[in-house]
């Protein structure tokens, strides 16, 4: 917000009512103004209904398609599988896994990608499937998840891409410990630039999380919608500048 205000953009702060899809207070936005949303992923519905551009650059199922495009071989979980949430326990038991990584296949935020063991999953399954508890998310037994075996991850970074250009980034984890740092290894930037060459125009803007595994190789962890991604220690000035150049906010109204 500080960066936006300092650069002359109009800012509207709203609360999004869960499930209802209303905003409080109702933002006063002129016809034809360019609008971009940051925060709750559910704002994608509002932005689409009101015709805001770019609004929310929603990847929807596109983020999951990376396993089938030219990035597939560079994905950390290239040998993962998809199944319903309520089938995960059966599948991993057959494979003999004591713990595993899982996340929803869409960018729905029904739950955060995480490593989980059998006991924790069984307790989770009980609440979601057997008791049908509502924790405020849209997680259901039918939610499709991507599941993979755990791997040795040394470091993780989030890279912001706008208009097929790497704009900024941040380290966010070392081993299993949260560790924010604006310094991004040179080969990480080169790796992402190589991915962009392989799959240009993947989206107008997005974030791509990259990790270094124990062998030293770099792998794609996941790709997410830029509007609801955490900034960590990325350079927000550079990000806002890149979005402005891409979508011409100044010339078309600037919300």
């Amino acid at each position: 917000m500080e960066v936006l205000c300092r650069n002359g953009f109009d800012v509207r702060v709203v609360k999004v009512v869960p499930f209802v899809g209303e905003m409080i207070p109702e933002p006063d936005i002129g016809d034809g103004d360019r609008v971009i949303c940051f925060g709750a992923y559910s704002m994608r519905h509002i932005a689409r209904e009101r015709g805001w551009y770019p609004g929310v650059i929603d990847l929807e199922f596109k983020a999951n398609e990376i396993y089938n495009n030219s990035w597939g071989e560079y994905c950390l979980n290239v040998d993962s599988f998809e199944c319903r949430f309520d089938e995960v326990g059966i599948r991993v038991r057959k494979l003999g896994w004591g713990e595993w990584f899982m996340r929803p296949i869409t960018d729905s935020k029904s739950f955060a990608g995480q490593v989980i063991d059998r006991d924790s999953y069984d307790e989770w399954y009980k609440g979601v499937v057997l008791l049908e508890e509502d924790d405020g998310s849209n997680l259901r037994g039918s939610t499709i998840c991507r599941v993979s075996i755990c791997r040795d991850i040394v470091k993780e970074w989030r890279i912001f891409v706008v208009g097929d250009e790497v704009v900024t980034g941040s380290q966010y984890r070392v081993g299993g410990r949260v560790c924010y740092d604006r310094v991004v290894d040179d080969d990480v930037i080169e790796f992402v630039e190589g991915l962009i060459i392989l799959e240009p125009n993947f989206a107008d803007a997005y974030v791509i999380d990259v990790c270094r595994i124990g062998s030293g190789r770099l792998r794609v962890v996941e790709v997410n919608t830029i509007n609801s991604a955490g900034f960590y220690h990325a350079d927000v000035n550079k990000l806002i500048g890149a979005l402005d150049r891409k979508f011409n906010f100044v010339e078309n109204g600037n919300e």
Side-chain angles (χ1 to χ4, degrees):
M1 289 175 59
E2 291 176 359
V3 172
L4 289 167
C5 292
R6 189 165 59 244
N7 285 277
F9 291 90
D10 293 329
V11 177
R12 304 289 186 271
V13 180
V14 300
K15 178 180 179 180
V16 181
V17 181
F19 307 112
V20 178
E22 296 179 352
M23 293 181 293
I24 302 175
E26 180 68 26
D28 178 19
I29 295 175
D31 293 338
D33 283 357
R34 295 270 168 112
V35 181
I36 190 165
C37 306
F38 281 101
Y41 182 60
S42 59
M43 294 185 76
R44 71 193 189 281
H45 301 302
I46 301 170
R48 187 179 299 119
E49 290 171 359
R50 304 188 183 200
W52 290 346
Y53 179 79
V56 173
I57 307 162
D58 190 9
L59 301 186
E60 296 183 335
F61 287 95
K62 198 169 187 179
N64 192 54
E65 292 174 1
I66 63 172
Y67 299 96
N68 300 316
N69 67 14
S70 52
W71 293 350
E73 64 179 297
Y74 301 104
C75 290
L76 178 68
N77 301 319
V78 63
D79 54 355
S80 60
F81 62 86
E82 294 178 11
C83 71
R84 292 166 50 111
F85 175 85
D86 57 13
E87 297 174 346
V88 172
I90 297 172
R91 294 285 297 270
V92 298
R93 279 176 170 80
K94 288 182 178 180
L95 293 168
W97 296 354
E99 63 176 17
W100 60 92
F101 175 83
M102 60 185 290
R103 57 156 293 178
I105 65 165
T106 64
D107 198 14
S108 63
K109 308 298 182 184
S110 55
F111 67 91
Q114 60 189 276
V115 173
I116 191 168
D117 58 32
R118 290 184 183 178
D119 290 342
S120 298
Y121 170 79
D122 288 344
E123 188 65 26
W124 197 8
Y125 174 94
K126 179 181 177 181
V128 173
V129 180
L130 300 183
L131 301 179
E132 297 183 342
E133 295 174 347
D134 188 353
D135 61 359
S137 74
N138 59 354
L139 177 61
R140 301 291 183 269
S142 59
T143 299
I144 305 299
C145 304
R146 182 167 289 278
V147 184
S148 66
I149 194 167
C150 296
R151 288 180 168 82
D152 179 24
I153 297 177
V154 179
K155 282 186 180 182
E156 295 177 71
W157 297 265
R158 173 159 292 170
I159 306 300
F160 292 77
V161 179
V162 179
D164 279 352
E165 292 186 5
V166 173
V167 174
T168 183
S170 171
Q171 173 188 283
Y172 63 88
R173 188 174 290 125
V174 176
R177 179 173 56 90
V178 173
C179 185
Y180 298 157
D181 193 327
R182 185 169 292 183
V183 176
V184 178
D185 293 354
D186 290 342
D187 62 339
V188 173
I189 301 298
E190 293 171 0
F191 177 71
V192 175
E193 289 175 340
L195 295 174
I196 294 170
I197 291 173
L198 289 174
E199 198 74 23
N201 305 312
F202 180 79
D204 286 338
Y206 55 96
V207 295
I208 183 165
D209 290 350
V210 174
C211 72
R212 191 183 304 281
I213 57 178
S215 65
R217 294 180 179 177
L218 295 171
R219 289 292 181 263
V220 175
V221 179
E222 58 183 355
V223 181
N224 283 312
T225 299
I226 198 169
N227 307 76
S228 53
F231 299 124
Y232 303 136
H233 277 189
D235 190 328
V236 181
N237 279 288
K238 290 182 178 179
L239 176 60
I240 296 301
L243 290 169
D244 186 20
R245 291 190 297 274
K246 174 65 177 176
F247 298 107
N248 299 313
F249 285 99
V250 173
E251 295 179 6
N252 295 274
N254 50 5
E255 304 289 346

